[in-house]
Amino acid sequence: MAIVSATDQTFAAETSTGVTLVDFWAPWCGPCRMIAPVLEEIDQEMGDKVKIVKVNVDENQETAGKFGVMSIPTLLVFKNGEAVDKTVGYQPKEALVSLLNKHL
């Protein structure tokens, strides 16, 4: 499954079913750029079980504010529309896979 970009308007629909990893990011954020290829790898390996959604915090401040995103990258795990886990800052692939596996 391809990585999806969500907006304030589409966020609820994108995270409503299954396990979704949401990446709150911005183009000017160095660690966000570092984590992007890690998310691509996870998508290729786990895309049948996990959906990955990216939210640009500069363009979608309402959603970022709703979930208390203060620093980026912030990654939230949603299960059927509910936020169930959170990690902040760059994370290696193994840590993210472990985080996701807890909710599958």
Side-chain angles (χ1 to χ4, degrees), residues 45-82:
E45 293 171 20
M46 301 178 74
D48 55 336
K49 296 180 281 197
V50 176
K51 181 176 185 177
I52 299 179
V53 174
K54 295 177 75 84
V55 177
N56 182 326
V57 296
D58 289 341
E59 297 171 358
N60 301 285
Q61 295 177 358
E62 183 183 318
T63 301
K66 180 179 175 183
F67 294 102
V69 175
M70 295 292 165
S71 56
I72 52 174
T74 291
L75 295 115
L76 292 178
V77 179
F78 283 79
K79 190 164 189 175
N80 298 324
E82 296 277 322

Side-chain angles (χ1 to χ4, degrees), residues 1 3 6 10 15 19 26 34-35 52 57 68 83 89 104:
M1 187 184 280
I3 294 177
T10 64
T15 58
V19 175
M34 287 170 50
I35 209 166
I52 299 179
V57 296
L104 291 175

Side-chain angles (χ1 to χ4, degrees), residues 29-43:
C29 162
C32 299
R33 289 195 303 269
M34 287 170 50
I35 209 166
V38 174
L39 296 177
E40 292 282 349
E41 280 184 41
I42 292 171
D43 183 56

